[in-house]
């Protein structure tokens, strides 16, 4: 009878050690995936900031293009007016 109790205790201890190992591995996996998620979040935030900067730069470029187009149009009008005055 004592041998059965001893065997049951050994089985219980073995299962307990296996469960502790599983928990330890799970905690390590959580830490690893959390680090990956944080890195991805940081990269996404940087991408959003860069996209905003690109949008501002594009808006500035559009304004410059409109201004240059207007100047070109004005220059053509002045050239035509100059030709007619001669």
């Amino acid at each position: 009878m004592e041998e059965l109790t001893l065997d049951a205790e050994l089985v219980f201890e073995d299962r307990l050690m296996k469960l502790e190992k599983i928990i330890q591995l799970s905690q390590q996996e959580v830490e690893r995936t959390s680090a990956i998620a944080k890195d991805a979040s940081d990269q996404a935030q940087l991408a959003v900031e860069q996209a905003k900067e690109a949008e501002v730069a594009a808006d500035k470029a559009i304004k410059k293009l409109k201004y240059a187009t207007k100047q070109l149009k004005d220059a053509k009008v002045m050239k035509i007016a100059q030709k007619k005055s001669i």
Side-chain angles (χ1 to χ4, degrees), residues 42-61:
D42 292 345
Q43 289 179 6
Q45 186 174 356
L46 179 61
V48 167
E49 290 170 6
Q50 289 175 340
K52 287 179 183 177
E53 289 175 8
E55 186 177 16
V56 169
D59 287 342
K60 287 180 182 178

Side-chain angles (χ1 to χ4, degrees), residues 23-35:
I23 289 170
Q24 182 184 17
L25 291 174
S26 295
Q27 287 174 335
Q28 290 172 353
E29 185 66 16
V30 166
E31 290 172 6
R32 187 181 73 80
T33 55
S34 293

Side-chain angles (χ1 to χ4, degrees), residues 26-85:
S26 295
Q27 287 174 335
Q28 290 172 353
E29 185 66 16
V30 166
E31 290 172 6
R32 187 181 73 80
T33 55
S34 293
I36 290 170
K38 184 184 180 323
D39 185 49
S41 173
D42 292 345
Q43 289 179 6
Q45 186 174 356
L46 179 61
V48 167
E49 290 170 6
Q50 289 175 340
K52 287 179 183 177
E53 289 175 8
E55 186 177 16
V56 169
D59 287 342
K60 287 180 182 178
I62 288 170
K63 288 178 183 176
K64 285 182 181 181
L65 177 61
K66 286 180 180 180
Y67 181 73
T69 303
K70 185 183 180 312
Q71 284 186 323
L72 179 61
K73 184 178 177 182
D74 291 346
K76 287 180 180 179
V77 168
M78 289 179 68
K79 186 175 180 181
I80 292 170
Q82 190 180 30
K83 281 184 180 181
K84 288 184 178 182
S85 70

Side-chain angles (χ1 to χ4, degrees), residues 1-14:
M1 191 70 144
E2 283 183 37
E3 192 172 312
L4 286 177
T5 305
L6 185 58
D7 286 343
E9 286 181 24
L10 289 175
V11 168
F12 177 76
E13 288 294 325
D14 185 51

